[in-house]
Amino acid sequence: MQGDKKGGFTVFWADAGLDTGDILLQKECEVLPDDTVNSIYNRFLFPEGIKGMVEAVRLIAEGSAPRIPQPTEGATYDPMQKKETAKIKWDQPAEAIHNFIRGNDKVPGAWTEVNGSKVTFFGSAFTSNGPHPDGELLEIPGASRPALVTKNGLVLFGNDGKTLTVKNLQFEDGKMIPASQYYKSSDNTSLQLSQEEQAIADEMRATWRRILTNVPGIEDSTDFFKAGAASMDVVRLVEEVKLKCNGLQLQNEDVYMATRFEEFIQLLVRKLRGEDTMDEILIDYVEKDVNNMKLRIPHQLFINGQFVDAEGGKTYDTINPTDGNAICKVALAQVSDIDKAVAAAKEAFENGEWGKMNARDRGRLIYRLADLMEEHQEELATIESIDSGAVYTLALKTHVGMSIQTFRYFAGWCDKIQGSTIPINQARPNRNLSFTKREPIGVCGIVIPWNYPLMMLAWKTAACLAAGNTVVLKPAQVRRVTLPAQLCRFTVKFLKTYSAKKKKDQAERACWEL
């Protein structure tokens, strides 16, 4: 994992247990930039290892299995990694630091000292030389510069100025947290459970007892992993929760971050109540009294789930074409802002929930967005009228009305984007076939013209989102107010008000980038 581009496995003839026997079979694979032992195991070692063993047995049975002597030149054994030897050396390039962290993920875990305590890093991604995100500084002894605690994780710097991002941190007491939560004090308020919630807690206690067979009983202080649980037990626990809690989908990381039974129940109940914490999104409005209503118009860029000013605070006037007066000053995006938006959309696509979630749930969220647009259609039509010069009734029925219909149309498509199964040989006994699978392509760049701006957004964006893509949107400079600001505002409201208990965590992480 420390820089190798190729990996693989070898099947040996039996020897004295020193791996010095003749080689029978070898397979190799490419090591991807963000691979860990777990990802290579799931993608290559397990499936190809099974095939390799079957092939080895077949070759032996046929009497054609080769015996290739192992060369002694260049043969080495990597040192066994122990916790004391897994301390990170910071005076090296970012890619080398990334390789060291992922090479020790999950055991024993690469660590460093932060504020006098040992902190272990998990889930490293090499982010190279992209734009540096905003965040709070965190001093790390020996590092070339302070780390940044951002909403996407802990950004670390190599001595070459390039970066890597770590997703999770583990402290000396075994507690694991998202790296983005480092500076946020944990909520120590203990929830009072209802009778129904207490029944769930009792069921979960029985579930823990069935999994942790080597402990006499499950106390509130029982630690899942110190009591002997392994990674497969985490998978089992997640499935048990899904079965017993009306389909509530925990992530494996949730178990690692609430290892004691009491903490686990508190986390579970908060998710069932829909009380997962979500950062407050601040919106700076321009207020205008038009058409017998008070309009509140966001005027900033919307990047990475936040309304922000353009680089350097640059703005320009957007004009009402009916009278030539300025509606307001809006943010004028710079190249660096575009880089940030693309990076955020890429991160949301690769590591967020939107493209991975159940397609039916994705459709339900787009339906909710259409509902919010309908609730505020008079407000949207008024803004569209002063922004594009359209007659109000036309803006209401056509610009806004057809946009709502478009979002609903594509919401219905979410769970109907399917591939094909194609027979290619009807001969018995195999009856071979091939199949196609449609997958989201990634980040979609959308440029909107000045005429019918909201409709153009709906036609292009709804289809991309329905397929599971993320979006970076560039509106026409002369028609900037209606979109994306108002639609982003409704997106924020939709995320805050989508309170179906088992979906709230997914809704929070499904925020696409506009």
Side-chain angles (χ1 to χ4, degrees), residues 354 360-376 404 407-408 411 487 490-500 507 512:
W354 185 248
R360 195 162 295 169
D361 294 334
R362 188 161 61 241
R364 191 176 292 118
L365 295 175
I366 297 178
Y367 274 123
R368 177 59 181 143
L369 178 58
D371 290 343
L372 282 169
M373 291 175 66
E374 189 169 53
E375 289 174 24
H376 296 269
I404 295 169
F407 274 105
R408 285 185 174 143
L487 189 60
F490 294 139
T491 301
V492 171
K493 182 177 180 182
F494 136 66
L495 291 172
K496 287 182 178 179
T497 60
Y498 192 78
S499 58
W512 49 82

Side-chain angles (χ1 to χ4, degrees), residues 8-54:
F9 64 86
T10 300
V11 178
F12 299 102
W13 285 94
D15 64 353
L18 301 175
D19 293 340
T20 57
D22 291 340
I23 296 170
L24 191 159
L25 179 146
Q26 287 183 318
K27 299 284 186 180
E28 73 171 28
C29 72
E30 181 183 1
V31 178
L32 303 178
D34 290 329
D35 263 332
T36 64
V37 172
N38 283 346
S39 65
I40 290 182
Y41 176 82
N42 292 327
R43 187 183 78 247
F44 174 77
L45 292 178
F46 178 75
E48 293 302 322
I50 297 295
K51 295 176 185 177
M53 290 303 299
V54 171

Side-chain angles (χ1 to χ4, degrees), residues 235-438:
V235 175
R236 179 181 172 185
L237 181 57
V238 168
E239 289 302 313
E240 290 275 4
V241 169
K242 187 176 181 179
L243 182 65
K244 300 181 185 306
C245 298
N246 298 319
L248 177 67
Q249 183 64 62
L250 294 184
Q251 304 298 317
N252 290 2
E253 289 78 8
D254 292 327
V255 181
Y256 286 104
M257 294 174 192
T259 59
R260 293 191 301 115
F261 181 76
E262 183 179 32
E263 295 173 341
F264 179 77
I265 293 300
Q266 292 284 309
L267 175 143
L268 190 63
V269 170
R270 289 185 190 280
K271 286 186 176 293
L272 287 170
R273 292 182 182 181
E275 294 181 2
D276 305 61
T277 57
M278 180 178 178
D279 292 341
E280 183 69 19
I281 298 178
L282 301 177
I283 307 176
D284 186 17
Y285 295 105
V286 171
E287 294 190 351
K288 300 186 79 70
D289 291 311
V290 183
N291 198 22
N292 298 317
M293 66 179 70
K294 183 180 289 294
L295 301 179
R296 303 177 70 200
I297 307 172
H299 58 92
Q300 298 168 292
L301 308 177
F302 187 68
I303 299 175
N304 203 20
Q306 299 288 335
F307 285 96
V308 295
D309 291 330
E311 184 74 22
K314 294 193 175 182
T315 62
Y316 70 96
D317 289 333
T318 184
I319 305 299
N320 182 341
T322 63
D323 57 17
N325 293 325
I327 301 172
C328 63
K329 289 185 179 296
V330 297
L332 180 61
Q334 306 298 299
V335 172
S336 58
D337 296 312
I338 298 171
D339 289 341
K340 290 177 183 177
V342 172
K346 183 174 183 289
E347 170 69 18
F349 176 74
E350 294 178 348
N351 299 311
E353 294 294 321
W354 185 248
K356 301 181 183 69
M357 70 194 309
N358 183 288
R360 195 162 295 169
D361 294 334
R362 188 161 61 241
R364 191 176 292 118
L365 295 175
I366 297 178
Y367 274 123
R368 177 59 181 143
L369 178 58
D371 290 343
L372 282 169
M373 291 175 66
E374 189 169 53
E375 289 174 24
H376 296 269
Q377 58 183 329
E378 291 84 4
E379 180 182 354
L380 276 173
T382 300
I383 297 173
E384 181 84 344
S385 180
I386 64 172
D387 190 32
S388 68
V391 176
Y392 172 76
T393 52
L394 176 68
L396 181 64
K397 297 298 182 183
T398 304
H399 293 214
V400 178
M402 289 183 65
S403 298
I404 295 169
Q405 292 173 19
T406 299
F407 274 105
R408 285 185 174 143
Y409 173 81
F410 282 104
W413 265 107
C414 286
D415 59 357
K416 301 172 186 69
I417 302 173
Q418 301 158 350
S420 302
T421 302
I422 308 164
I424 59 174
N425 187 350
Q426 293 292 347
R428 295 179 183 275
N430 293 329
R431 294 187 179 275
N432 296 330
L433 55 85
S434 66
F435 68 90
T436 61
K437 181 181 179 182
R438 299 183 185 276

